[in-house]
Amino acid sequence: MFEIILSGGVMMIPIILCSIAVIGISIERYWTLNPNKVAPRTLLAQVWSWIKSNQVDAAKLRELKQSSPLGKILAAGLSNSRHGRDVMKDSIQEAANQVIHDLERYIGALGTIANVAPLLGLLGSVFGMIETFNAIMLKGSGNAGVLAGGIAVALIATAAGLIVAIPATILHRYFLRRVDSLVVIMEEESIKLVDALHTDRSVDVKLV
């Protein structure tokens, strides 16, 4: 396997680095975007129990903010709930924008790698074909070993680029979908909180 990688030429180095980045980002995002960590289903019920028992204070808000991304959004809303529905919604929106930005961290890098890796493979293929044509010019077309080496560089680099790009594309879309699902959950929970505290009008809180 190591010999095959070496025969792919110099462009195998950035392709391998891209593959390592894909693995690292995927593991980190899979761990970070755990729904139970981002938007615990029992969190809103706990917050509501605090509200009914008049336990909401600075310490509780700080605990809520640090508990999870959803907790950060709910804490922002609670902190401004006394100023009216519109102010509460604006504070939720502002906190949600920051939370969503954090949830999408590194996902764009997966998309970039998915686009760049095939180009790196193509560039490696070009280098391999250049090597082949140089060999033909210097030694003629009768040296099959030299020609095969240049063609191998071209094919291995192309294959390596695709091997990295295909899973990167799949993972990029998977994590984007997971973020979208989490945003919907957090939006629903935020709407419930606003509706519980301000029931005089319909609620239209949006996180995106």
Side-chain angles (χ1 to χ4, degrees), residues 43 47 56 60-99 190 193-194 197-198 207:
L43 184 60
V47 171
V56 179
K60 288 293 185 182
L61 288 176
R62 184 166 54 253
E63 176 185 345
L64 179 61
K65 184 177 181 180
Q66 296 174 352
S67 66
S68 64
L70 175 59
K72 183 177 181 179
I73 294 174
L74 298 181
L78 282 175
S79 299
N80 295 277
S81 60
R82 295 182 180 180
H83 301 292
R85 175 189 297 268
D86 292 336
V87 175
M88 184 178 182
K89 286 163 52 181
D90 290 341
S91 62
I92 287 176
Q93 178 72 60
E94 183 178 350
N97 289 338
Q98 180 60 49
V99 166
S190 300
L193 179 63
V194 176
L197 295 176
H198 301 279
L207 300 190

Side-chain angles (χ1 to χ4, degrees), residues 11-12 14-15 18 111-127 154 157-166:
M11 294 311 300
M12 291 297 294
I15 291 175
C18 286
T112 300
I113 292 173
N115 292 325
V116 170
L119 298 179
L120 293 175
L122 179 60
L123 183 57
S125 299
V126 171
F127 288 161
T158 300
L162 292 175
I163 289 172
V164 174
I166 292 173

Side-chain angles (χ1 to χ4, degrees), residues 116-197:
V116 170
L119 298 179
L120 293 175
L122 179 60
L123 183 57
S125 299
V126 171
F127 288 161
M129 296 309 297
I130 291 174
E131 180 181 330
T132 300
F133 287 123
N134 285 337
I136 292 175
M137 287 173 33
L138 295 175
K139 301 181 180 180
S141 59
N143 192 331
V146 175
L147 297 179
I151 295 173
V153 170
L155 294 178
I156 292 172
T158 300
L162 292 175
I163 289 172
V164 174
I166 292 173
T169 300
I170 295 173
L171 290 168
H172 176 251
R173 295 189 178 185
Y174 169 77
F175 287 123
L176 283 180
R177 173 58 66 180
R178 173 168 284 197
V179 170
D180 290 341
S181 299
L182 291 172
V183 168
V184 170
I185 294 173
M186 292 188 293
E187 180 178 337
E188 291 174 348
E189 298 296 277
S190 300
I191 288 174
K192 291 177 184 177
L193 179 63
V194 176
D195 195 22
L197 295 176

Side-chain angles (χ1 to χ4, degrees), residues 28-47:
E28 190 275 337
R29 285 294 90 186
Y30 186 82
W31 174 262
T32 301
L33 298 179
N34 185 337
N36 293 327
K37 294 176 59 179
V38 175
R41 285 293 189 177
T42 60
L43 184 60
L44 184 59
Q46 182 182 21
V47 171

Side-chain angles (χ1 to χ4, degrees), residues 1-9 12 16 149 152-153 156-157:
M1 177 63 71
F2 186 68
E3 292 180 356
I4 295 176
I5 293 175
L6 288 178
S7 64
M12 291 297 294
I16 292 173
V153 170
I156 292 172

